[in-house]
């Protein structure tokens, strides 16, 4: 099959979170299965700054937006590391900016225009790039208008007649909500504002355009169920129940060429499941780097996260002092909303010997935290799939997570009864269900207790190493979804 994956972020071109990792690594796995694969994203400033080579394919292509034609430049590049052809949509007034979506905690006010243009230019651009996909795989709200544009404006043309689409929801919390009066910008007929199409409350949501695709999926089986409930549906649960027949859940994989303790060039000493000695060295090096005492006994817990409401650090802040006072060390790397950044800054100020907080985005330090910690914390309010818990397990680092979404699908809780016969333990971590500080503290206490039992802890860590979160199986699942979508054409 000829497949084009389109997303607002793709590793290593541009990344703010897991979306980039997924759309950066799935293409490689599809390529391995023998498919012809390409990628598309906007030509952001950060791509230029990385010095990635690009070639101008078409200059000044007129793309309709808000009643005008904007003049777009189309580029071709290749994904570093895989050489997969990558189509870049260039329009400097929109994409030549310091950040991808927002600055100083504020969304760019013209994100609708920026991504509507990207969506329309993608369809306009296909003949210029000379790529006629069988499957257009769309991701999250930033690509939500592609399906409506395709069916309204392009389907009648031979070139587009047989292009099937699959839409993946990576995070329903970001739905591209817009007020009604901005709808004409899209150029779509007004009837799309109806609630069974794009309408959402008093406005409309770009992500709902994706729901019109013949196949929709999300990034874990559990999350596919959860988003059909009021608690996790962000007001769209009814719409998702309506399409439940074509709604699937496929767990993400991680890229083991990036996340592999045996070859990782960012960590102090390489190690593996068979030879874990290096992990102790990584632990000491991490403690030194973040200025915590180099002690071997305390449980060293890591956090690498966007600091947003989703990630659950408000319940952690309720119990953080109690947890730290029970003797653990905490290493935090994260950035995002001021309120959550402050929680960790304050903790680090209050417990300088036990807590370190690096408030930034730092790829290299992230590797060293995954490698050097004993345990990894993700108390998410909701979590579509989550990559960090899988990455931590690849480094033998035991996750403590809330049992929601992909966290529930990927972490096996240690039950009290398991401990009777350590050799038979299959658990990989600690989970809790209720969204409260109390429930989180109880999971952390179980973790602290298990850490004191050397044999048990080694078994947990070994079970983590043994997990296989590679893309192989999930890529095959995506191919099945592509086939379903193609059959519907
Ligand atoms: P989400 O996509 O919701 O942010 P995921 O767990 O799916 O969460 O993916 C997060 C990805 O982003 C992981 O690769 C993680 O290592 C990385 N990451 C998150 N925050 C940071 C940070 N401050 N510095 C470096 N990497 C980060």
């Amino acid at each position: 099959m000829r497949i084009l994956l389109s997303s607002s972020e793709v590793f290593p071109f541009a990344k703010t979170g897991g979306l980039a990792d997924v759309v950066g690594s799935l293409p490689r796995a599809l390529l391995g299965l023998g498919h012809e694969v390409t990628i598309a994203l906007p030509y952001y400033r950060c791509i230029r700054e990385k010095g990635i080579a690009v070639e101008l394919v078409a200059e000044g292509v007129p793309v309709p937006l808000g009643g005008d034609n904007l003049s777009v430049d189309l580029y071709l590049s290749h994904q570093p590391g895989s050489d997969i052809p990558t189509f870049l949509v260039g329009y400097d007034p929109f994409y030549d900016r310091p950040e991808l979506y927002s600055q100083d905690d504020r969304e760019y006010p013209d994100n609708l225009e920026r991504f509507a243009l990207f969506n329309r230019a993608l369809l306009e651009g296909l003949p210029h790039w000379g790529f006629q996909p069988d499957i257009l795989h769309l991701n999250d709200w930033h690509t939500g208008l592609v399906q409506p544009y395709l069916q309204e404006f392009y389907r009648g043309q031979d070139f587009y007649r047989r292009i099937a689409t699959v839409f993946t929801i990576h995070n329903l919390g970001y739905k591209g909500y817009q007020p009604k009066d901005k709808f004409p910008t899209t150029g779509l007929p007004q009837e799309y504002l109806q609630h069974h199409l794009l309408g959402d409350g008093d406005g409309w949501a770009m992500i709902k355009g994706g729901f019109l695709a013949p196949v929709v999926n999300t990034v874990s089986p559990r999350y596919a169920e959860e988003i059909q409930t009021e608690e996790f549906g962000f007001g769209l649960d009814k719409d998702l129940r309506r399409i439940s027949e074509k709604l699937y859940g496929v767990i993400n994989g991680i890229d083991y060429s990036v996340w592999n303790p045996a070859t990782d060039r960012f960590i102090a000493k390489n190690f593996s499941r068979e030879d874990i000695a290096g992990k102790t060295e990584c632990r000491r090096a991490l403690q030194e780097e973040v200025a915590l005492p180099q002690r071997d006994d305390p449980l060293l817990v890591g956090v690498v996260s966007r600091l947003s409401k989703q990630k659950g650090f408000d319940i952690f802040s309720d119990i953080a002092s109690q947890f730290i006072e029970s003797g653990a060390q905490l290493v935090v790397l994260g950035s995002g909303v001021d309120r959550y950044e402050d929680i960790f800054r304050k903790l680090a100020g209050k417990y300088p010997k036990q807590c370190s907080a690096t408030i930034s985005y730092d790829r290299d330090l992230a590797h060293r935290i995954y490698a050097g910690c004993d345990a990894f914390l993700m108390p998410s309010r909701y979590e579509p799939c989550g990559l960090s818990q899988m990455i931590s397990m690849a480094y033998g680092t035991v996750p403590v997570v809330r049992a929601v979404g992909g966290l529930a699908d990927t972490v096996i809780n240690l039950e009290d009864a398991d401990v009777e016969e350590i050799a038979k333990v299959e658990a990989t971590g600690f989970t809790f269900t209720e969204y409260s500080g109390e429930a989180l503290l109880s999971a952390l206490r179980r973790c602290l207790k298990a850490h004191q039992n050397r044999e048990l802890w080694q078994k947990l860590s070994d079970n983590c190493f043994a997990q296989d979160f590679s893309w192989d199986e999930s890529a095959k699942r995506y191919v099945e979804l592509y086939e379903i979508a193609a059959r519907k054409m």
Side-chain angles (χ1 to χ4, degrees), residues 459-470:
K459 178 67 177 143
L460 286 172
S461 173
D462 188 61
N463 289 349
C464 288
F465 277 122
Q467 302 297 304
D468 178 5
F469 298 115
S470 64

Side-chain angles (χ1 to χ4, degrees), residues 15 17-19 21 259 304-306 310-311 333-335 360-363 366 370 378 383 386-388 391:
K15 167 168 167 172
L19 173 63
D21 290 324
W259 304 110
V304 177
S305 185
R306 285 187 298 117
Q310 175 196 339
K311 298 297 179 179
L333 168 63
S335 64
S360 70
Y361 186 93
D362 185 335
R363 178 195 62 180
Y370 290 119
M378 269 175 105
E383 195 62 68
L387 296 174
S388 296
I391 298 171

